Amino acid sequence: QVQLAESGGGLVQAGGSLRLSCAASGRTISEYTMAWFRQAPGREREFVASITWSGSDYGDSVKGRFTISGDNAKNTVFLQMNSLKPEDTAIYYCAVGPKRATMTGLYDYWGQGTQVTVSS
């Protein structure tokens, strides 16, 4: 029903920037919450950011450094990641759900993920 494809991950030096993209199909982003989560090896999947028509939310660890945005015409969401730290290293996943939320269980569709590695 809904398919998601992330891109833009890579290797970057601490303090650098990356821009992730998530292309969605099947639903318009104006009707659903779209979010970014991340998961480091051996760790729980962590909420990063989300966006709806009413606004955006950010996890405490990325506030002031990351910005989520969307292009409704292209059904695409972005995550601009600045001032990257080694602890940001993880696989980043795009997700879609019916309501604004930070819990993984409330999202219905997930992309395959894109690797972000930040070196010190």
Side-chain angles (χ1 to χ4, degrees), residues 14-109:
S17 298
L18 284 174
R19 183 176 173 86
L20 306 183
S21 299
C22 175
S25 61
R27 301 288 184 187
T28 60
I29 62 174
S30 65
E31 297 175 346
Y32 290 87
T33 299
M34 301 194 70
W36 290 95
F37 289 78
R38 65 187 183 186
Q39 189 165 24
R43 303 292 301 276
E44 293 270 332
R45 192 164 296 187
E46 175 189 18
F47 173 77
V48 175
S50 66
I51 188 168
T52 68
W53 64 269
S54 61
S56 57
D57 293 319
Y58 296 92
D60 289 341
S61 63
V62 306
K63 287 179 180 176
R65 299 188 297 122
F66 293 7
T67 303
I68 189 169
S69 61
D71 184 340
N72 189 54
K74 298 182 179 180
N75 287 339
T76 302
V77 295
F78 306 95
L79 186 69
Q80 179 65 46
M81 310 165 69
N82 297 327
S83 301
L84 283 162
K85 306 174 181 179
E87 50 262 46
D88 296 318
T89 295
I91 300 174
Y92 283 70
Y93 297 92
C94 182
V96 172
K99 62 187 295 184
R100 191 170 175 174
T102 61
M103 298 81 77
T104 59
L106 296 181
Y107 287 83
D108 300 310
Y109 302 98

